[in-house]
Amino acid sequence: MSGPLEGLRIVEIAGIGPGPFCAMMLADAGADIVRVDRLAASGATGREGGAPAGAAYAAKDFMNRNRRSIAVDLKSPLGTEIVLALVARADGLIEGFRPGVAERLGIGPEACKERNPRLVYGRMTGWGQSGPLCASVGHDINYIAVAGALDAIGRCDSGPVPPLNLVGDFGGGGMLLAYGMVCALLEAARTGQGQVVDAAMVDGAALLTTFIHGMMAMGLWSSKRGTNLLDSGAPFYDVYQTADDKYVAVGALEPQFYAALVAAIDGDAVEVPEQMDRSRWPEMRTRFAAIFRTKTREEWCTLLEGSDACIAPVLGLDEAPDHPHLAARATFVEIAGERQPAPAPRFSRTPGEVRMPPPLPGEHTAEVLDAWGVEPGLAAAARSAGALRAQ
């Protein structure tokens, strides 16, 4: 292993979305993470979220990389005992059940604390462990809607536009839980005492809007979407269609960059229009749109990418890995024949890496139980009772 978290042991109770993303980040940074998959998921008929469980799908579930997997029946007392045996040897645990479910399974914070007082217990939910909605179901779009983030995203002539599930699930969810886990693990190393990390996507999504709230407080942001500097309201911070029906992104916010943009694309301009004169924004937008339609995306990038005009190509997910800058930085890596985003951020002395591809559910049961020192008699009893995948 390598990475700044080398030596940490974490138990991940299998889930979908932000929990696995958190575990991936920690594993990419070197933590030894064991993913506890459901026993049924190790069969051939299904897995969590309704996706097929075949090897072809599991190998492409990139968020599960860098972990070993065991398959356990969490509804069996012996299955619960296996998990608690791992907890006794772990530094942290991650689970994404609705409030109360882990407790009913016998692997809640109190049960784990009895086995390991220094354990950091990470809880990933949408609404959090308290509040009127804590027991309710939901998804990314619901959490960012209530947090105020969704209403701010979109053009002035459209309704709110869901930004994939990046803001709630991954930015406000998994990434915030990873941060919380590392903070609590640092504190536990000093004090010897663990604690619960309550990571709610609605809290994280709200936190991500801190800058916008500050702009509102200063009177620099309107609650009407699509009319502000960063939400497509400003013609110098937007996307424009090119001659080949692709797009370029323009981000000339500062006055000097705006001047460079106008000078570079509008050779007929007699004067640089006043950047912050909102009455002229419609005029600017119309002019910019017509100009960008005169060249292809590649032509514009050949001419201006990397310049003070702040222009970049809008690349598809399939195109991004081949961009020269990303290729030079190895922003994407190929593991077992599959191209995927590389670990981030970069560490100068203890670099993270993708050490192993995503596992099949239960693929490493025997290996993990042996490596983590789980009592052989317990493992044998669990196998005999059908609470553990036999290997």
Side-chain angles (χ1 to χ4, degrees):
M1 292 186 184
S2 64
L5 299 185
E6 182 178 357
L8 286 176
R9 283 181 164 182
I10 296 174
V11 176
E12 172 198 5
I13 307 300
I16 57 175
F21 185 73
C22 167
M24 181 198 76
M25 291 187 66
L26 300 176
D28 284 353
D32 178 9
I33 298 185
V34 170
R35 179 178 167 92
V36 179
D37 278 296
R38 295 180 183 179
L39 191 63
S42 63
T45 57
R47 66 184 305 181
E48 281 192 87
Y57 289 91
K60 299 178 190 299
D61 203 347
F62 299 143
M63 287 199 303
N64 289 341
R65 69 192 187 194
N66 278 341
R67 275 106 84 198
R68 294 179 291 180
S69 168
I70 69 172
V72 176
D73 181 1
L74 292 177
K75 296 182 179 180
S76 161
L78 282 170
T80 297
E81 192 60 33
I82 289 289
V83 173
L84 292 176
L86 294 174
V87 161
R89 297 157 174 81
D91 300 289
L93 178 143
I94 298 167
E95 59 95 352
F97 296 119
R98 275 194 275 174
V101 173
E103 284 82 351
R104 290 197 295 273
L105 292 172
I107 55 172
E110 290 304 316
C112 290
K113 183 179 179 180
E114 288 181 8
R115 297 296 182 97
N116 185 350
R118 62 182 180 81
L119 184 82
V120 171
Y121 195 105
R123 314 199 82 166
M124 183 76 263
T125 60
W127 302 112
Q129 298 297 314
S130 62
L133 293 175
C134 70
S136 302
V137 298
H139 287 290
D140 176 292
I141 195 170
N142 308 119
Y143 313 134
I144 70 173
V146 171
L150 180 57
D151 185 65
I153 300 171
R155 296 187 177 276
C156 60
D157 56 355
S158 76
V161 177
L164 303 181
N165 60 334
L166 303 178
V167 176
D169 278 351
F170 302 121
M175 196 171 291
L176 261 291
L177 178 57
Y179 166 73
M181 291 293 293
V182 171
C183 288
L185 286 164
L186 284 170
E187 197 276 341
R190 293 196 305 268
T191 66
Q193 294 296 310
Q195 61 183 303
V196 174
V197 180
D198 176 5
M201 284 174 259
V202 69
D203 296 345
L207 181 66
L208 293 176
T209 67
T210 303
F211 171 75
I212 304 301
H213 278 280
M215 295 282 282
M216 288 177 63
M218 290 182 277
L220 301 176
W221 193 272
S222 168
S223 59
K224 181 175 174 56
R225 82 180 67 85
T227 64
N228 299 285
L229 279 178
L230 305 175
D231 62 359
S232 79
F236 45 84
Y237 197 88
D238 206 347
V239 296
Y240 289 95
Q241 197 168 25
T242 55
D244 52 349
D245 293 327
K246 296 180 180 180
Y247 290 87
V248 291
V250 177
L253 279 175
E254 290 78 7
Q256 67 273 27
F257 300 149
Y258 171 69
L261 170 68
V262 174
I265 71 170
D266 196 349
D268 296 329
V270 177
E271 62 172 325
V272 177
E274 173 54 45
Q275 183 180 14
M276 294 303 172
D277 182 355
R278 289 175 178 257
S279 68
R280 299 192 68 179
W281 280 8
E283 170 196 341
M284 291 183 211
R285 186 180 303 281
T286 300
R287 180 66 173 160
F288 287 176
I291 292 171
F292 279 113
R293 276 298 239 168
T294 64
K295 299 182 189 299
T296 66
R297 185 184 71 181
E298 184 64 27
E299 288 172 334
W300 280 117
C301 291
T302 299
L303 182 66
L304 294 174
E305 189 176 9
S307 75
D308 284 356
C310 298
I311 288 177
V314 178
L315 300 177
L317 292 170
D318 57 337
E319 297 177 292
D322 296 321
H323 186 277
H325 182 78
L326 304 190
R329 286 184 56 81
T331 300
F332 290 79
V333 295
E334 187 171 306
I335 304 297
E338 300 290 347
R339 195 157 59 172
Q340 58 196 271
R346 312 288 177 88
F347 299 95
S348 63
R349 187 172 54 80
T350 57
E353 63 177 335
V354 181
R355 303 179 301 277
M356 56 190 295
L360 289 173
E363 180 179 350
H364 306 100
T365 299
E367 175 185 330
V368 165
L369 297 181
D370 181 62
W372 281 45
V374 174
E375 202 274 314
L378 171 61
R383 287 192 186 93
S384 297
L388 188 66
R389 181 178 179 182
Q391 286 191 342

